[in-house]
Amino acid sequence: MYLLLLIFHLQQSESQDPDALYTQRETLPSAQRAEQIWADRLAKDPKDFESAWKLARARYWLGGHAPEKSRKGYFEGGIAAGRAAVAVEPNKPEGHFWVAANMGALAESFGLRQGIKYRGEIKNELETVLKLDEPFLQGSADRALGRWYYKVPGFFGGSHRLSEQHLRESLKYNDHSTASHFFLAELYFDDGRNAEARVELHRVLDAPLDPDWAPEDGEFKEKARKLLGRSKSDD
């Protein structure tokens, strides 16, 4: 009986621990429960910096994985949560980064208008992260800026040269980054550097899973397999 009560207590504790729930984010209800706990905490204490940035991070994930009709709302809510984190701790990188990440996801997922609306602010927030903490999240600001320069049209400031430069810079902090190698592959294919692109895709597939980012790594590996298959059939 004691053992059963102990197991029950541990399960109950875990169900109320948003960090534990978020590690299981591949299961959508776990991510949604974590998001709700952080949202409730932030509503009770608007100066709860940790809940604010973690809420922005959770909404970014949900915006990419929840049912289609709710995705835009999650990204917009992620921007709001990130801004709440910035308001509390403007000299820490977390809020700035997750504001930019949610804006970038909106821009990529919901058309040119969103991209034009947020392009300047995304770049400003990421450059702020670089000034505050360049290695933050294994060079994520450089990684995201590399994506920004790739996605934004040249007449709005985009540049494949600067995209490659920032993506390469991000690899200083994690040479196995599946995201950086996959983004480089897309860039190289666009530039007709197909052999180099395939090398980057194989690096994605060969990279070890990062325990903190295993769901994301798994998704980039699946994208790399598909893109590698398509590129071979195009030859």
Side-chain angles (χ1 to χ4, degrees):
M1 178 64 74
Y2 174 77
L3 181 59
L4 289 174
L5 287 172
L6 180 60
I7 292 171
F8 176 77
H9 176 72
L10 290 172
Q11 289 175 335
Q12 289 295 103
S13 298
E14 187 172 281
S15 71
Q16 298 302 316
D17 179 359
D19 291 306
L21 288 164
Y22 191 71
T23 63
Q24 303 168 33
R25 57 192 173 277
E26 286 178 288
T27 304
L28 192 61
S30 294
Q32 290 171 323
R33 179 62 183 142
E35 186 267 347
Q36 187 59 59
I37 293 172
W38 282 316
D40 290 345
R41 290 180 181 179
L42 186 60
K44 291 176 183 176
D45 180 7
K47 293 187 177 181
D48 184 346
F49 171 71
E50 183 175 335
S51 290
W53 76 257
K54 287 182 176 180
L55 177 60
R57 182 187 61 181
R59 286 175 172 170
Y60 173 80
W61 172 266
L62 287 166
H65 297 84
E68 190 68 35
K69 64 181 180 181
S70 60
R71 291 187 175 192
K72 187 176 182 182
Y74 275 125
F75 288 137
E76 290 172 339
I79 294 169
R83 284 174 170 163
V86 170
V88 179
E89 293 283 2
N91 294 319
K92 290 186 177 181
E94 289 89 345
H96 297 285
F97 179 78
W98 290 109
V99 166
N102 279 282
M103 286 180 176
L106 266 179
E108 283 204 38
S109 303
F110 293 95
L112 182 61
R113 182 177 298 180
Q114 296 291 335
I116 293 172
K117 177 180 178 181
Y118 289 121
R119 74 182 189 281
E121 195 169 354
I122 293 169
K123 186 169 182 281
N124 290 341
E125 293 288 6
L126 293 173
E127 289 175 342
T128 298
V129 175
L130 286 181
K131 291 174 185 175
L132 294 172
D133 185 359
E134 190 172 335
F136 176 71
L137 285 183
Q138 304 175 348
S140 283
D142 270 312
R143 187 174 304 115
L145 275 168
R147 193 64 171 169
W148 187 93
Y149 279 110
Y150 172 67
K151 284 289 187 178
V152 171
F155 53 84
F156 282 131
S159 164
H160 279 204
R161 178 183 64 82
L162 290 175
S163 175
E164 181 176 7
Q165 179 180 313
H166 279 286
L167 290 170
R168 288 289 175 201
E169 191 72 14
S170 73
L171 289 169
K172 290 195 317 186
Y173 306 105
N174 178 10
D175 188 44
H176 298 298
S177 169
T178 56
S180 293
H181 287 299
F182 184 81
F183 294 156
L184 279 167
E186 288 193 319
L187 173 69
Y188 291 159
F189 276 129
D190 255 17
D191 289 347
R193 298 159 64 180
N194 292 358
E196 291 173 86
R198 292 190 183 100
V199 168
E200 295 301 326
L201 292 177
H202 282 293
R203 286 174 176 158
V204 175
L205 296 175
D206 293 341
L209 291 176
D210 184 325
D212 292 330
W213 301 98
E216 290 82 359
D217 283 344
E219 291 180 356
F220 277 112
K221 285 175 180 291
E222 181 60 26
K223 290 178 182 177
R225 276 189 285 270
K226 290 179 179 178
L227 185 54
L228 194 58
R230 290 200 302 271
S231 73
K232 288 178 179 178
S233 66
D234 290 341
D235 287 344

